[in-house]
Amino acid sequence: MQRYLISFDDGAMDHIAEADFPAVGDASHAVVQQAKDAGVWIFGGGLERQQASIVATDGTVTDGPFAETKAVVGGFSIIEVPSRDDALEWAARIAAACRCAQEVREIMFDPLS
């Protein structure tokens, strides 16, 4: 089994009318429940639209990244499935529910983490 990060950029859902958000939320929650029922759901959520902080190796904290200049994650799901094809199928379900494209990336396995 492999774990996959399914994510979308901040602002990817800006095209959705405010009145449609309850339906999008219901659809998204339904897909999450399906993933939980299928035993593939690990964790996920949306990220607050806010300024992030960058902590350097020496502990110095600076502002960034800036949404105007760099894509930042707006929401994500982590699933565990047998294959990339399975991850792509779940991403398609999430994309339809959220009404925005999803990026799919395999998470590297590290037995010590």
Side-chain angles (χ1 to χ4, degrees):
M1 297 286 267
Q2 295 295 319
R3 290 189 176 178
Y4 290 86
L5 170 68
I6 301 172
S7 63
F8 61 90
D9 288 344
D10 184 42
M13 297 176 72
D14 286 352
H15 67 282
I16 301 169
E18 189 70 32
D20 291 338
F21 270 104
V24 171
D26 290 345
S28 299
H29 293 141
V31 173
V32 169
Q33 189 59 55
Q34 291 168 6
K36 288 178 178 180
D37 292 346
V40 303
W41 184 259
I42 302 296
F43 183 76
L47 299 177
E48 290 288 339
R49 184 173 279 178
Q50 60 189 2
Q51 180 70 35
S53 297
I54 306 299
V55 181
T57 57
D58 66 359
T60 304
V61 179
T62 58
D63 291 337
F66 296 95
E68 302 82 36
T69 60
K70 183 177 180 180
V72 295
V73 176
F76 69 95
S77 304
I78 297 176
I79 61 170
E80 187 171 52
V81 292
S83 71
R84 182 170 190 80
D85 287 340
D86 291 318
L88 295 173
E89 289 177 19
W90 282 104
R93 293 180 191 191
I94 294 168
C98 292
R99 302 183 190 178
C100 66
Q102 303 291 309
E103 179 179 311
V104 178
R105 300 183 69 187
E106 186 173 343
I107 297 173
M108 294 172 51
F109 176 73
D110 179 353
L112 299 179
S113 64

